[in-house]
Amino acid sequence: MDDLHPQEPHGHRPPRADRSPTAADLTPAATDLTPATAHLAPAVRERLATERIAWLCTLRPDGSPHVTPVWFVFVRGTWWIGADGGSVKARNAAHDPRVSLALEGGEAPVVAEGRARIWRAPAETGSATGSASVFPPDVVAAFLAKYDWDVTLPHRPASGRVLFEVPVGRWLLAGTAQ
């Protein structure tokens, strides 16, 4: 069950049930146009800002794929995923940084490939402040705005937190089925 992310980490409050977030709910950095996103249709940018689940594919050491649902934010033209430092996805990305990400729904697929950079925060036993000083503040704010979730707080004592930073190397099927 460790890899079904996100589990209810310490400091997590469930998202509001009355509606899904809109781009207006997110920090301005989450919807900024960058060279990596300027060519994307507005509907794709909106989905990147508001959809709550993406599928992350990492590679196991034997080369086989490992696919898991994740919470994400798309800030400064980059995908960001929070994870437990000891998760399978974090171990896989540390071994081989090549990843793919896909939004749910096959009617208008949005799939991206990139290389994950892992931001690793030390395990903070008993810390109430999490890894806020290690992770980019705009990314932490975007997770809080989108999910009402403090991505810096460890889920398990002594496990530490990681952030995947995944700049898009290539868009595949960006918004239309091919």
Side-chain angles (χ1 to χ4, degrees):
M1 192 71 106
D2 171 65
D3 236 8
L4 290 179
H5 176 72
Q7 296 174 5
E8 300 260 336
H10 175 71
H12 167 74
R13 288 168 290 193
R16 293 180 12 205
D18 58 335
R19 67 175 173 83
S20 296
T22 65
D25 295 325
L26 303 178
T27 61
T31 56
D32 285 347
L33 285 180
T34 68
T37 61
H39 70 284
L40 297 175
V44 172
R45 291 194 305 269
E46 175 72 14
R47 288 181 66 198
L48 289 166
T50 60
E51 289 202 19
R52 300 181 59 78
I53 303 293
W55 289 87
L56 171 70
C57 183
T58 59
L59 297 172
R60 292 183 176 102
D62 69 1
S64 62
H66 175 258
V67 179
T68 185
V70 294
W71 281 357
F72 74 98
V73 294
F74 192 76
V75 176
R76 291 182 266 117
T78 298
W79 298 74
W80 295 85
I81 297 102
D84 183 85
S87 67
V88 171
K89 61 184 152 279
R91 291 192 311 267
N92 288 347
H95 176 75
D96 185 337
R98 295 175 297 165
V99 300
S100 293
L101 289 145
L103 296 181
E104 294 187 310
E107 301 81 34
V110 175
V111 181
E113 292 179 342
R115 291 186 171 270
R117 175 181 174 217
I118 304 297
W119 294 63
R120 197 169 290 280
E124 300 182 40
T125 309
S127 172
T129 60
S131 306
S133 64
V134 176
F135 297 151
D138 58 337
V139 173
V140 172
F143 272 104
L144 191 59
K146 188 173 187 178
Y147 299 101
D148 200 19
W149 176 48
D150 186 346
V151 69
T152 69
L153 295 177
H155 174 62
R156 295 181 290 176
S159 67
R161 293 295 299 165
V162 297
L163 269 181
F164 287 52
E165 176 186 9
V166 185
V168 177
R170 179 166 69 152
W171 289 101
L172 308 168
L173 310 170
T176 58
Q178 296 180 1

